[in-house]
Amino acid sequence: MKKETKVLKEKALNSLTLCVGHFNSTSDTGRVEAVLHFLDHSFEMLLKAAILHRGGKIRDRGEKNTIGFDACVRRALSDGQVQFLADEQALTLQAINGLRDAAQHHLVDISEGHLYLHAQAGITLFRDLLDDVFDDRLRDYLPDRILPISTIAPLDPIALFTEEIDEVARLLKPGTRRRMEAAARLRSLAIVDGALRGEKLQPSEANLRNLGKKVAQGNGLSDVFPGIAAVDFVTEGTGPTVSLRIAKKEGVPVHLVPEGAEDAGVVAVKRVNELDFYNLSHADLARHVGLTAPKTTAAVRYLDLASEPDCYREVTIGKSSFKRYSQKAIAAIQTAVDEVGIHEIWEACGTGKGRPSA
């Protein structure tokens, strides 16, 4: 093993040890930030060590600095010479890195269960990569007493996210005046959801308000956080041998995001059934209902289709948003035209009138 590889691997193990130590700390002072920082750093060091060990490079030609976290993930995932990372493993890394960025550069409020989920998934992934790439066992490097970061694993990790949504809904009830707390809870969930969908952007206050509205309206996990809903968190074993991994659901592919895409991660999940369901653009919708684009917009406003999940969804990739409609939107507009008439719909919600356009 080359000296640089050995040093990077040692630094990775050092940071992982500190991550576990802070997770199990009796003090809450800076605990969440420390766990996320050291977990993220441990993976950047491990990825670089693994790339070098496989004969790859961690410095681009003419550059003094080594490549960053995303570039490490991309090379470990797609470089034929060194490839050792699976799609689902890359999703785990993106989620951890997104939370670390929020903790490093702004604010993150994450529940204990949510923190456990990512910490245990991280420990599992670190152990897997150490075994696969270096044929080493994590237990040979760390004292047994610090290996388990928890003695009990959640029976259904995805339920943690549902519980978080329920808690946000409780905080948003009229008269509670706890919207700031709700926004803080939503931030960490939005970061993970965006990371799974291949987005690097931190959620804005407007994003958080929109998510809060969806939760307050009673929308479930798949409507509010489709990225989280598109994966499973699979647990195996108990106590010190517990493992937790992200696994894609059947029919939900993970695809590589083109390098250079603005504000995008390395990989992203897309729910095939949802993309098939919302398969119409505005122009497609207008053509199917036999109306001009402005009159179609008026009908969309009149029926308030933007608030109907069965008819409309806005899909965001990076900084671009796409307004999509389902086949049910066709039937809804055709029924309204037959029963009310397009003249009345235009008078009520034509250009500059009525509800905001979807």
Side-chain angles (χ1 to χ4, degrees):
M1 184 183 298
K2 295 180 179 179
K3 183 176 180 180
E4 186 178 11
T5 303
K6 183 178 181 180
V7 172
L8 288 168
K9 180 181 168 187
E10 289 176 352
K11 286 185 175 294
L13 288 163
N14 290 341
S15 286
L16 187 71
T17 303
L18 290 171
C19 166
V20 175
H22 281 286
F23 187 95
N24 290 324
S25 174
T26 57
S27 172
D28 283 333
T29 303
R31 174 173 169 268
V32 170
E33 291 79 7
V35 168
L36 294 174
H37 170 80
F38 285 117
L39 184 59
D40 182 82
H41 184 259
S42 72
F43 275 116
E44 183 163 342
M45 297 297 99
L46 184 65
L47 290 173
K48 288 178 177 178
I51 291 170
L52 288 176
H53 191 62
R54 288 289 183 92
K57 296 181 179 180
I58 59 173
R59 290 178 179 82
D60 290 329
R61 186 183 298 275
E63 294 291 333
K64 295 181 179 179
N65 297 322
T66 59
I67 57 177
F69 191 95
D70 285 349
C72 286
V73 173
R74 186 175 294 277
R75 292 189 185 184
L77 183 67
S78 59
D79 190 328
Q81 178 184 357
V82 302
Q83 195 275 328
F84 56 85
L85 204 61
D87 292 336
E88 294 90 339
Q89 293 174 324
L91 291 175
T92 299
L93 292 172
Q94 282 184 180
I96 291 171
N97 187 242
L99 289 171
R100 175 265 176 194
D101 284 350
Q104 178 79 10
H105 302 295
H106 191 214
L107 300 170
V108 63
D109 185 2
I110 185 169
S111 70
E112 190 61 33
H114 193 179
L115 180 65
Y116 164 80
L117 187 149
H118 293 290
Q120 184 65 76
I123 292 288
T124 302
L125 177 55
F126 194 102
R127 186 173 63 214
D128 290 345
L129 294 180
L130 196 65
D131 187 3
D132 294 342
V133 177
F134 297 98
D135 196 25
D136 284 344
R137 308 295 178 267
L138 185 58
R139 63 176 178 269
D140 294 337
Y141 290 91
L142 303 176
D144 290 341
R145 59 184 171 81
I146 70 166
L147 272 177
I149 62 171
S150 178
T151 57
I152 301 174
L155 296 178
D156 182 11
I158 203 69
L160 291 171
F161 293 105
T162 302
E163 291 175 2
E164 287 285 288
I165 290 177
D166 291 341
E167 175 62 15
V168 170
R170 186 183 68 81
L171 293 172
L172 290 174
K173 285 184 177 180
T176 57
R177 297 184 179 181
R178 302 179 71 179
R179 293 187 178 276
M180 288 187 63
E181 293 179 51
R185 286 293 186 106
L186 284 170
R187 185 182 300 279
S188 60
L189 295 173
I191 289 170
V192 173
D193 182 74
L196 294 176
R197 290 187 289 112
E199 297 178 4
K200 292 287 288 182
L201 291 174
Q202 297 291 315
S204 66
E205 295 302 318
N207 294 146
L208 296 178
R209 284 195 296 271
N210 290 333
L211 290 173
K213 289 179 182 179
K214 290 184 178 181
V215 172
Q217 291 169 357
N219 289 291
L221 181 65
S222 61
D223 291 317
V224 183
F225 298 114
I228 294 174
V231 299
D232 283 324
F233 292 83
V234 181
T235 56
E236 301 171 357
T238 58
T241 61
V242 69
S243 297
L244 195 156
R245 299 178 178 87
I246 287 181
K248 62 182 180 181
K249 290 183 178 178
E250 185 177 356
V252 183
V254 179
H255 71 97
L256 186 69
V257 177
E259 190 169 8
E262 188 176 9
D263 296 319
V266 179
V267 292
V269 294
K270 284 190 176 181
R271 301 192 66 176
V272 173
N273 58 335
E274 286 185 353
L275 293 177
D276 286 345
F277 189 76
Y278 301 99
N279 59 1
L280 301 172
S281 66
H282 188 276
D284 294 333
L285 182 62
R287 185 169 60 255
H288 278 82
V289 298
L291 299 174
T292 63
K295 288 183 177 179
T296 300
T297 298
V300 168
R301 287 172 171 167
Y302 183 85
L303 294 169
D304 195 16
L305 292 188
S307 65
E308 297 294 332
D310 286 341
C311 295
Y312 171 85
R313 171 160 294 175
E314 186 169 343
V315 179
T316 302
I317 302 176
K319 286 187 175 181
S320 301
S321 295
F322 303 91
K323 297 173 181 179
R324 306 292 295 178
Y325 301 84
S326 72
Q327 296 291 321
K328 291 186 177 182
I330 298 174
I333 292 176
Q334 288 175 336
T335 299
V337 171
D338 291 341
E339 294 180 354
V340 181
I342 190 60
H343 178 73
E344 286 75 9
I345 292 175
W346 180 257
E347 284 297 313
C349 296
T351 304
K353 303 175 183 177
R355 301 183 181 94
S357 174

